[in-house]
């Protein structure tokens, strides 16, 4: 059974709006490596639709820098599970996940060897409530947004974490990986 790994970009003040981070080559390389460490991606509807719009080919020539291409190829090729009660169908190498979220994610984890990668805001909140996340990664960008969505808003109970790894990207963003303490 592979682990369920959560990763998200946030600002120093905790904003997790994707527009608040500063994408660069180093950050894209880091996230490409993350995706390559997983057998599949687990996405909520909002993130799935956002990623599909941004990364699904074909993309007009010259619409993004060459250094984004490894990430684009990796996410395009990845198996995707999409948690949604509103979508009728998905494609882009994706499968809908419906019904009991806990049971569905446990099954996906059991079928995984390398692990499953998840990001976003609402779906990870539900997964944290169920105790299903095996690793939390926060890429903290050196920016104060002063606005925007915050992580795990409304979490019913504390999740204690222990630091397992820390590194810094060229931009000054700090990557901190945690495992549940219990």
């Amino acid at each position: 059974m592979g682990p369920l790994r959560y990763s998200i970009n946030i600002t120093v003040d905790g904003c997790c709006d994707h527009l608040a981070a500063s994408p660069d080559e180093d950050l894209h390389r880091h996230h490409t490596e993350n995706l390559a460490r997983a057998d599949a991606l687990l996405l909520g509807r909002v993130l799935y639709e956002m990623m599909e719009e941004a990364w699904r080919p074909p993309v007009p020539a010259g619409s993004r820098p060459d250094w984004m291409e490894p990430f684009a190829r990796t996410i395009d090729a990845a198996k995707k599970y999409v948690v949604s009660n509103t979508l009728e169908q998905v494609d882009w190498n994706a499968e809908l996940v419906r019904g009991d979220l806990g049971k569905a994610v446990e099954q996906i984890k059991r079928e995984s060897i390398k692990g499953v990668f998840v990001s976003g805001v609402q779906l990870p909140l539900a997964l944290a409530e169920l105790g299903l996340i095996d690793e939390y990664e926060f890429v903290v960008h050196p920016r104060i947004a002063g606005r925007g969505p915050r992580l795990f808003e409304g979490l019913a109970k504390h999740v204690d974490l222990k630091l397992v790894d820390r590194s810094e990207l060229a931009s000054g963003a700090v990557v901190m990986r945690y495992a549940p303490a219990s």
Side-chain angles (χ1 to χ4, degrees), residues 119-171:
S119 194
V121 179
Q122 293 303 314
L123 176 58
L125 171 62
L127 296 169
E129 290 281 6
L130 294 169
L132 292 174
I133 299 175
D134 301 299
E135 181 180 289
Y136 293 80
E137 178 183 84
F138 304 101
V139 181
V140 183
H141 294 263
R143 174 175 282 172
I144 297 171
R147 58 156 185 82
R150 305 279 188 247
L151 294 179
F152 302 107
E153 189 72 37
L155 188 67
K157 59 183 179 196
H158 295 318
V159 177
D160 292 320
L161 304 171
K162 62 182 175 188
L163 184 68
V164 295
D165 191 32
R166 172 183 43 223
S167 61
E168 187 174 320
L169 302 179
S171 66

Side-chain angles (χ1 to χ4, degrees), residues 9-182:
N9 295 304
I10 62 171
T11 61
V12 171
D13 60 340
C15 174
C16 57
D17 184 329
H18 73 282
L19 297 175
S22 299
D24 63 13
E25 187 171 358
D26 205 22
L27 179 66
H28 272 77
R29 185 179 315 107
H30 172 77
H31 286 307
T32 301
E33 291 167 2
N34 267 351
L35 295 180
R37 291 187 325 148
D39 298 310
L41 310 179
L42 181 63
L43 307 168
R45 178 194 55 81
V46 171
L47 188 56
Y48 169 76
E49 289 177 338
M50 186 174 71
M51 293 300 213
E52 182 181 32
E53 181 180 337
W55 300 107
R56 186 176 187 165
V59 176
S63 64
R64 60 181 172 225
D66 288 344
W67 51 262
M68 288 184 173
E69 291 308 312
F71 180 84
R73 285 190 302 273
T74 303
I75 197 165
D76 181 53
K79 169 70 177 165
K80 299 160 195 79
Y81 293 97
V82 182
V83 177
S84 175
N85 291 320
T86 58
L87 291 175
E88 293 298 321
Q89 63 182 16
V90 292
D91 55 7
W92 194 39
N93 198 26
E95 179 181 321
L96 273 175
V97 175
R98 297 187 190 263
D100 185 306
L101 179 63
K103 287 180 183 176
V105 171
E106 285 288 352
Q107 182 63 36
I108 292 167
K109 287 172 67 171
R110 271 193 299 279
E111 294 171 359
S112 169
I113 296 170
K114 294 191 300 185
V116 180
F117 182 83
V118 65
S119 194
V121 179
Q122 293 303 314
L123 176 58
L125 171 62
L127 296 169
E129 290 281 6
L130 294 169
L132 292 174
I133 299 175
D134 301 299
E135 181 180 289
Y136 293 80
E137 178 183 84
F138 304 101
V139 181
V140 183
H141 294 263
R143 174 175 282 172
I144 297 171
R147 58 156 185 82
R150 305 279 188 247
L151 294 179
F152 302 107
E153 189 72 37
L155 188 67
K157 59 183 179 196
H158 295 318
V159 177
D160 292 320
L161 304 171
K162 62 182 175 188
L163 184 68
V164 295
D165 191 32
R166 172 183 43 223
S167 61
E168 187 174 320
L169 302 179
S171 66
V174 178
V175 179
M176 296 179 293
R177 285 187 324 141
Y178 295 88
S182 53

